[in-house]
Amino acid sequence: MKKLKITALLAVLAFSPIYAGVVSVENNPIVKAIADAITWKSESIDVGNIPQGKPKAIRFEFTNTTKKPIVIENVAPSCGCTTADYTKTPILPGKKGFVEASYNAAAAGAFMKTVNVTTSDSKTPKTLSFKGTVVAS
């Protein structure tokens, strides 16, 4: 009986790659609808050199490409050195919204920060990033 269970398990494992490709992700309309809900102008911004001691605002813009209003539910910067602002009203279909991160450029040197954005369209946060170098004054 034990050999039969092991054989059955091996048979299932042997044939599992065949079933893995049954549903194509590339042409799946559900996956495409989620991916196309918001079109970001840029998801990563290089701000270059910025002066030490002066906060830097980084603006991420997007367009609602769905047929229903989208609400930004949460914006979470990766650290306490970054604050965030965003479009607080529902973004209507075809309209633009924004997420703005303000980075406190206190310490000299290179930096890379992220902001996670959750919308009413997708509970999976979208990660936006920005980088640059703080130059001592």
Side-chain angles (χ1 to χ4, degrees), residues 28-40 63-66 68 70 119 121-124 126:
N28 190 323
I30 295 170
V31 173
K32 185 169 175 38
I34 291 171
D36 293 340
I38 290 179
T39 303
W40 293 91
T63 303
N64 176 356
T65 54
T66 68
K68 61 183 179 182
I70 290 179
T119 66
D121 192 66
S122 173
K123 300 306 176 200
T124 303
K126 177 68 170 177

Side-chain angles (χ1 to χ4, degrees), residues 69-81:
I70 290 179
V71 176
I72 297 176
E73 294 181 343
N74 188 37
V75 176
S78 59
C79 71
C81 59

Side-chain angles (χ1 to χ4, degrees), residues 80-95:
C81 59
T82 305
T83 59
D85 190 21
Y86 56 92
T87 305
K88 306 280 193 302
T89 57
I91 299 95
L92 300 176
K95 299 298 180 186

Side-chain angles (χ1 to χ4, degrees), residues 88-110:
K88 306 280 193 302
T89 57
I91 299 95
L92 300 176
K95 299 298 180 186
K96 296 183 182 298
F98 73 90
V99 171
E100 187 172 276
S102 182
Y103 174 65
N104 181 4

